[in-house]
């Protein structure tokens, strides 16, 4: 039976950072977005409120900024190699993130079968952000279920990789999970834990031989 590997982005595939922080860095607004990350992580603001704040910060954002943010972001090592191995084993890999879809979708070029992020208007922004398109921790479970149906697998065939509160709901419903540089929210939920900057080392905890 094929397995579905579900990857978080912020703090997981990105080491010690988030897509919004990397995007804002290109505009000189890193500090403001770090503060927003801390606020949403602590539950002081909701994901839709977070989206409204970063949308306002990104009034001058262009695709050039996003491309530069993606290229210079602090990615874990071996992401493309791990996803190639997953594909070679006949398994599936997907990225499900609360970050903007216009950043998350770029990971399809690295070998992800599917990418899901919060929906923002096309760049440069001329329309408001729709709160209904902003993902939450609970939405990750719904997306995982849709992906299971799409790929013909069950929840029992899923492996989740994450680092924080936004992954807690997903970790609670899949049989195998890997905390990557994870915080205390996942300590008791993760099947495996990894601290470091090479995804292949985390993947070895759940990799199966061909």
């Amino acid at each position: 039976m094929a397995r579905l590997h579900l990857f978080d982005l912020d703090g997981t595939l990105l080491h010690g950072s988030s897509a919004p922080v990397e995007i804002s860095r290109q505009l000189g607004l890193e500090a403001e977005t770090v503060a927003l990350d801390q606020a949403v992580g602590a539950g002081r603001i909701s994901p839709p409120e977070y989206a409204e704040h970063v949308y306002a910060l990104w009034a001058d954002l262009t695709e050039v900024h996003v491309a530069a943010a993606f290229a210079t972001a602090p990615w874990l090592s071996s992401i493309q190699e791990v996803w190639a191995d997953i594909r070679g084993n006949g398994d599936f890999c997907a990225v499900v993130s609360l970050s903007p879809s216009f950043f998350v979708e770029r990971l399809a070029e690295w070998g992800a079968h599917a990418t899901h992020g919060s929906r923002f208007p096309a760049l440069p922004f001329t329309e408001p952000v729709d709160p209904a398109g902003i993902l939450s921790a609970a939405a990750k479970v719904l997306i995982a279920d849709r992906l299971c149906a799409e790929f013909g697998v069950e929840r029992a065939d899923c492996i989740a990789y994450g680092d924080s509160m936004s992954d807690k709901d997903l970790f609670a419903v899949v049989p195998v999970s890997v905390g990557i540089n994870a915080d205390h929210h996942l300590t008791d939920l993760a099947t495996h834990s990894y601290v470091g900057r090479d995804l292949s080392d985390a993947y070895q905890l759940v990799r199966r031989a061909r």
Side-chain angles (χ1 to χ4, degrees):
M1 176 65 71
R3 300 189 300 177
L4 172 58
H5 298 254
L6 297 158
F7 293 90
D8 172 54
L9 174 61
D10 302 324
T12 303
L13 297 177
L14 286 176
H15 184 266
S17 189
S18 69
V21 167
E22 296 305 313
I23 292 167
S24 293
R25 193 191 310 278
Q26 300 299 317
L27 299 170
L29 298 168
E30 175 186 359
E32 291 86 340
T33 309
V34 168
L36 289 172
D37 275 8
Q38 293 170 345
V40 73
R44 295 194 299 272
I45 61 174
S46 68
E49 289 172 324
Y50 177 92
E52 291 283 0
H53 284 299
V54 294
Y55 173 85
L57 288 177
W58 295 342
D60 298 323
L61 188 65
T62 68
E63 289 286 356
V64 173
H65 294 122
V66 177
F70 189 90
T72 60
W75 299 102
L76 293 188
S77 302
S78 308
I79 294 174
Q80 294 181 66
E81 291 81 0
V82 166
W83 290 354
D85 191 82
I86 288 172
R87 285 176 169 270
N89 273 324
D91 291 341
F92 302 98
C93 57
V95 181
V96 184
S97 171
L98 275 58
S99 277
S101 58
F102 58 71
F103 189 96
V104 181
E105 288 167 357
R106 290 173 176 266
L107 287 165
E109 298 178 5
W110 285 12
H113 287 92
T115 58
H116 290 269
S118 294
R119 295 194 306 274
F120 276 70
L123 293 172
F125 295 146
T126 57
E127 300 176 359
V129 63
D130 182 359
I134 304 305
L135 300 187
S136 64
K140 286 191 173 187
V141 176
L142 299 177
I143 292 170
D145 285 341
R146 291 204 300 267
L147 291 172
C148 283
E150 179 181 344
F151 296 130
V153 301
E154 305 291 337
R155 277 190 186 178
D157 307 310
C158 291
I159 302 168
Y161 304 75
D163 76 302
S164 65
M165 178 69 83
S166 70
D167 306 300
K168 194 171 182 179
D169 289 8
L170 187 56
F171 272 41
V173 300
V174 301
V176 180
S177 55
V178 182
I180 297 180
N181 300 311
D183 63 22
H184 67 280
H185 295 109
L186 301 186
T187 302
D188 295 331
L189 282 176
T191 311
H192 305 279
S193 293
Y194 168 74
V195 177
R197 302 195 64 163
D198 192 329
L199 185 61
S200 63
D201 291 337
Y203 173 56
Q204 289 303 319
L205 298 172
V206 296
R207 183 184 183 276
R208 63 184 176 188
R210 294 182 184 176

